[in-house]
Amino acid sequence: MRHVAVAVLMALVGWPIVAGAQEAPQPATHPDVEWYEASYFKFKHEHFYEAERFLFEHWLPVEQAIGRETIIVEHRTGEWDFVIYFPIEGPGDLEQRTSPTWKRWHEAFVEREGEERAAEIMTKLDQMVARSENHLVERWLYRAAEREGESIGREAGDGPARQAIVQVLGDLEQAELGGDVESLVSLFTDDMIVVRSDQPDVVGKDAWRSLMESVFAEETVTAIELRSENTMVLGDWALDWGTYSETVAPAVGEPFEVSDDYVMILRREEGEWKIARLLPYRGIVPEEFLFTLKTAMELTGTARAEDGQ
């Protein structure tokens, strides 16, 4: 079966299947590539989150300072916790301790932390690592086509996608204030999910409509503010997060206030952005993940991150 699977894969990618004495195919060349040294890390279980904080608090700022575009990948499954891809500027970069790039990194690290503190940090990092491996890897660069009139790359803070998403937030506020169930439901995709920290998820428009009809029958939203802090856009998908606060007047009892952080995943359908997933941070997303998400965007300047300022 394994041989059959390999043959199918070769056919799918257009690789000639050689039979008998036929000439073997020549290796293909890929001129548009980048080379990286890939460092695989497995941290000791009790030090995982400490190591994660080290990467974002100490490592990434130095990478930015020297202008190196390092890629950090966190593994959610498998034997490794993180893989760090270091761009190779020349053959000398393979000699980490003596290469010009690593010398620049070390000098910037010491300047940032101080010589004594830098040594302490590196010693601590070594103690946190259970095991590690290094590999030489090649990255093939395939350029995505651009949309007509809109680049898939970085947008400015007031780019068209962000403006449209901020408008969705405004429409959501107005629907909540007016108790308008149909307008509220129309802002979501058919396969929408609203995650709640202490109750079952709401799946699909029908369930969302039914829930909000019962909510608006029992209480009125008298004030609400959704404040977007960051937006990441990739094609027809977007991730937006920020804060919300609202004042609720129940039919019986005193008004009360609710505030939290939110994460919203949106999908563009026929030119309009719709909410596909909505969830609060607290009680749903572990605090360590929030730290990673926020700090990664702040420090790496993610290509599709848009500040909400």
Side-chain angles (χ1 to χ4, degrees):
M1 289 296 292
R2 181 177 179 182
H3 296 296
V4 173
V6 171
V8 171
L9 177 60
M10 292 171 68
L12 286 174
V13 300
W15 192 279
I17 301 178
V18 182
Q22 291 181 334
E23 183 179 353
Q26 297 300 309
T29 59
H30 303 280
D32 199 10
V33 300
E34 292 178 349
W35 289 91
Y36 291 81
E37 181 180 8
S39 295
Y40 290 70
F41 292 95
K42 179 66 176 180
F43 295 110
K44 297 173 183 176
H45 179 73
E46 65 273 19
H47 293 304
F48 176 82
Y49 292 119
E50 186 180 2
E52 185 179 58
R53 287 179 180 271
F54 164 82
L55 291 175
F56 290 110
E57 289 182 350
H58 300 285
W59 193 285
L60 276 177
V62 179
E63 295 293 324
Q64 282 192 310
I66 67 172
R68 183 168 63 172
E69 297 184 358
T70 297
I71 301 171
I72 297 182
V73 177
E74 180 177 356
H75 284 211
R76 295 297 183 178
T77 60
E79 62 177 307
W80 300 103
D81 292 327
F82 286 91
V83 182
I84 305 179
Y85 295 89
F86 300 102
I88 296 176
E89 299 176 3
D93 278 352
L94 295 177
E95 296 294 332
Q96 286 192 3
R97 302 305 177 189
T98 60
S99 75
T101 301
W102 278 100
K103 284 183 178 179
R104 283 192 293 117
W105 189 94
H106 183 264
E107 290 172 357
F109 184 59
V110 171
E111 180 180 356
R112 173 184 170 83
E113 305 289 349
E115 187 169 355
E116 184 175 345
R117 176 61 177 158
E120 292 176 357
I121 291 173
M122 295 309 295
T123 298
K124 180 63 175 177
L125 177 63
D126 287 340
Q127 294 171 349
M128 290 188 285
V129 176
R131 65 181 186 278
S132 63
E133 290 181 5
N134 289 340
H135 296 275
L136 182 63
V137 300
E138 180 185 49
R139 178 188 179 191
W140 296 3
L141 303 178
Y142 291 98
R143 308 299 182 186
E146 291 189 352
R147 297 176 179 277
E148 183 178 355
E150 178 184 350
S151 172
I152 297 179
R154 181 181 175 87
E155 292 182 351
D158 60 349
R162 174 159 180 81
Q163 289 180 346
I165 290 169
V166 169
Q167 183 60 54
V168 171
L169 299 183
D171 293 342
L172 185 61
E173 290 176 338
Q174 293 303 310
E176 288 265 8
L177 286 171
D180 189 340
V181 174
E182 290 306 318
S183 293
L184 181 62
V185 171
S186 70
L187 299 173
F188 290 77
T189 63
D190 290 339
D191 60 350
M192 55 144 293
I193 297 177
V194 174
V195 178
R196 299 183 292 173
S197 58
D198 56 352
Q199 299 181 56
D201 297 349
V202 182
V203 182
K205 281 187 172 181
D206 290 341
W208 185 228
R209 179 182 292 107
S210 177
L211 173 64
M212 295 313 298
E213 285 175 347
S214 63
V215 168
F216 287 150
E218 298 176 358
E219 58 190 37
T220 301
V221 176
T222 59
I224 183 172
E225 181 183 16
L226 286 161
R227 180 174 176 79
S228 172
E229 294 182 355
N230 288 284
T231 305
M232 295 174 61
V233 179
L234 179 60
D236 289 327
W237 289 92
L239 172 68
D240 182 83
W241 82 68
T243 61
Y244 77 87
S245 60
E246 61 181 4
T247 303
V248 180
V252 178
E254 296 295 322
F256 59 91
E257 294 184 355
V258 178
S259 62
D260 206 339
D261 302 317
Y262 72 84
V263 175
M264 184 182 294
I265 300 174
L266 302 98
R267 186 168 68 229
R268 181 160 40 192
E269 297 182 344
E270 298 181 354
E272 294 187 4
W273 287 98
K274 302 285 186 179
I275 303 169
R277 302 290 186 272
L278 179 61
L279 60 153
Y281 277 171
R282 298 167 189 157
I284 296 295
V285 185
E287 191 65 28
E288 293 81 4
F289 174 78
L290 299 184
F291 173 84
T292 301
L293 186 63
K294 287 184 176 180
T295 311
M297 289 190 67
E298 291 169 359
L299 294 181
T300 62
T302 304
R304 297 173 181 86
E306 301 177 350
D307 293 335
Q309 305 301 322

